[in-house]
Amino acid sequence: MLAVMTAKDPRAPLLARLAALIADETRAACLLALLDGRAWTAGELARHAGVAASTLSEHLGKLVAGGVLTEERQGRHRYVRLADARIAQLVEDLTAQAAPGAVVRPRSLRESSAGSAMARGRTCYDHLAGRLGITVTDALTARGLLVQDPGCALTDAGLGWFADAGIGLDRTGRRPLARACLDWTERRPHLAGVAGAALCRHALDAGWCERIGSGRAVRVTATGERALAELLGIDAAALR
C-alpha cells in the first residue's frame, strides 16, 4: 500500500499569500498602471483606481508589506513602483492568461483611442510591447539576431548588433539577457529581459519613440522610423 503523503509543501502558504495580494480589483488596477515602469503617487493611483485616498493607502500598505511594491517618500508625497522586473513579468503574464481572446469594449471615444494606441505600441514595465514590440522582435529573429525556439536568446550576431547600435547590455545582474514575454494584445511573445529593457530605454532616449500622454502608450517618431528601417529593415508602415 502506498504511503499517504501528509507533509505540506512549505511554499504553499507563500504562494497563497501572494495570490491573495493580487486577488483584489483595486490592487490589480494599481499593478496594471504601474506596468509603465514609473513611480506613481498614492493620489494618482487612487484617482486611477476610482477609490478614496484612504482606501488606496491601505491597499498600498499590503502590497508594499508583501514585497510586490517598493515605496519612497519625498516630502508629503508617497511614491510607489513595482518591486522588480519579476513582479512586472508576473502581472503581465497573468493578464495575458486571465481572459484569452476577451474583448474589452471601450466606454467612450477617448477609451477607444487610448486602447488603439496601447495596442499599437506601449511599454511593458521596461520593454516594448504591443504591435511595435512584436514587430521589433520579429525583425531581430528574421535577421538571426535573436532565436526564440528553443528558448529565447541573443545570438553572437545579436550581441554584435546591440554593440554596433550603441545599446549597452548590463550582464552583471541575475536578470536573463533575453526573455520571451507573452504580449496580451498580440498573443505572441515580445522581447524582454536585459536586452528588451536596453532597447526600450535607447529607443526613448534617442527619440525613436515618444510617450503618448502620461500612460504606457508610445509611438514611433520619424527619427525612429528611419533608424529601425536602417538597423532592422522594418517598413515604416508596420510601425503606424
Side-chain angles (χ1 to χ4, degrees):
M1 180 180 296
L2 293 176
V4 178
M5 299 294 292
T6 57
K8 184 171 71 173
D9 191 320
R11 298 170 299 177
L14 301 177
L15 177 59
R17 194 174 304 130
L18 176 61
L21 280 173
I22 299 175
D24 177 273
E25 190 170 337
T26 297
R27 292 197 288 271
C30 292
L31 295 176
L32 288 170
L34 291 167
L35 276 177
D36 67 359
R38 293 179 289 182
W40 287 48
T41 67
E44 289 169 337
L45 284 174
R47 290 189 291 274
H48 176 80
V51 298
S54 57
T55 300
L56 197 280
S57 181
E58 182 179 345
H59 285 297
L60 293 183
K62 292 179 180 179
L63 291 170
V64 170
V68 176
L69 300 183
T70 58
E71 70 174 339
E72 176 183 332
R73 292 186 180 274
Q74 292 186 5
R76 295 181 303 152
H77 295 292
R78 178 191 191 188
Y79 291 87
V80 295
R81 65 171 73 244
L82 295 178
D84 53 37
R86 293 177 302 168
I87 295 297
Q89 175 187 342
L90 175 65
V91 174
E92 187 77 6
D93 288 349
L94 286 174
T95 302
Q97 296 296 336
V103 177
V104 179
R105 299 188 180 281
R107 293 169 294 183
S108 64
L109 179 60
R110 182 177 181 180
E111 277 196 6
S112 177
S113 299
S116 296
M118 285 274 284
R120 281 194 301 272
R122 64 182 181 277
T123 54
C124 171
Y125 187 54
D126 61 359
H127 54 272
L128 297 173
R131 193 161 65 246
L132 169 60
I134 294 295
T135 299
V136 170
T137 300
D138 285 349
L140 288 167
T141 304
R143 292 196 161 211
L145 309 176
L146 177 74
V147 293
Q148 298 189 60
D149 185 24
C152 183
L154 290 180
T155 63
D156 289 340
L159 291 172
W161 181 88
F162 272 83
D164 292 342
I167 305 175
L169 298 174
D170 182 3
R171 307 175 69 178
T172 60
R174 298 175 58 187
R175 191 177 185 184
L177 183 60
R179 182 183 67 78
C181 180
L182 181 62
D183 195 291
W184 61 267
T185 53
E186 296 293 315
R187 307 299 301 165
R188 295 176 53 208
H190 56 244
L191 176 64
V194 171
L199 182 56
C200 178
R201 184 168 56 251
H202 184 82
L204 290 169
D205 290 346
W208 296 359
C209 296
E210 61 186 9
R211 293 190 181 275
I212 302 174
S214 60
R216 296 168 57 193
V218 298
R219 62 177 158 236
V220 180
T221 64
T223 299
E225 289 181 356
R226 291 192 294 271
L228 292 174
E230 178 183 345
L231 294 171
L232 289 173
I234 296 175
D235 188 339
L239 302 171
R240 298 171 182 165

